[in-house]
Amino acid sequence: MSELSLCAIGLGSNLGDSRSILIGAIDRLQKHPQIELLAISSWYLTDPIGPPQPDYINGCATIETSLAPLDLLNILQAIESEFGRVRQEIWGARTLDLDLLLYDNLIIDLPTLQIPHPRMIERAFVLVPLAEIAPDSIEPKSGHSIATLCHKLEYSGVKLLQE
Ligand code: ROI
């Protein structure tokens, strides 16, 4: 039996039918044979960080997987492409963004993959949904829990998405 790792994934979209795209992405994760979905946060309507662009819908998921970090990254990027993500502007609008936030308590610094996600601790649109499903997880660079990091942030731009 292979070892399982516990990971957190951030999801975001601000182009197209964002809610359906995000639900579709969760469905793709759920159907992968080496991924077990543990929890999905609520969806949040969030003010865009970066240049002027439409509001985002953001959420987070926790998974258990036997995939190695780079293999999981490849799968996330394949799902992004499937939903029409074209990597253009770094800070521009996108149909689907899937960020690998945490992978066990690993710190990985590769050109193609940094874990924990380098900007997660300053982003309320990541920490508010993640604190809902994994408040006691530790961000390994700071050594602080997600709940603690979240409380330090100004999160007025992150609101529960109404049905
Ligand atoms: N802003 C919000 N609110 N949500 C995102 O997912 C998001 N993603 C991005 C940038 C452009 C930084 N801004 C964002 O990549």
Side-chain angles (χ1 to χ4, degrees), residues 10-14 44-51 53-59 85 89-94 97 99 117 119 123-126 157-158:
L11 301 95
S13 169
N14 73 341
Y44 292 82
L45 191 62
T46 69
D47 293 348
I49 303 299
Q53 54 188 299
D55 288 350
Y56 279 79
I57 300 179
N58 285 109
R85 168 82 186 267
E89 258 183 88
I90 298 182
W91 293 80
R94 61 268 327 270
D97 203 5
D99 286 332
H117 190 284
R119 288 168 298 284
R123 290 181 165 177
F125 69 78
V126 173
V158 177

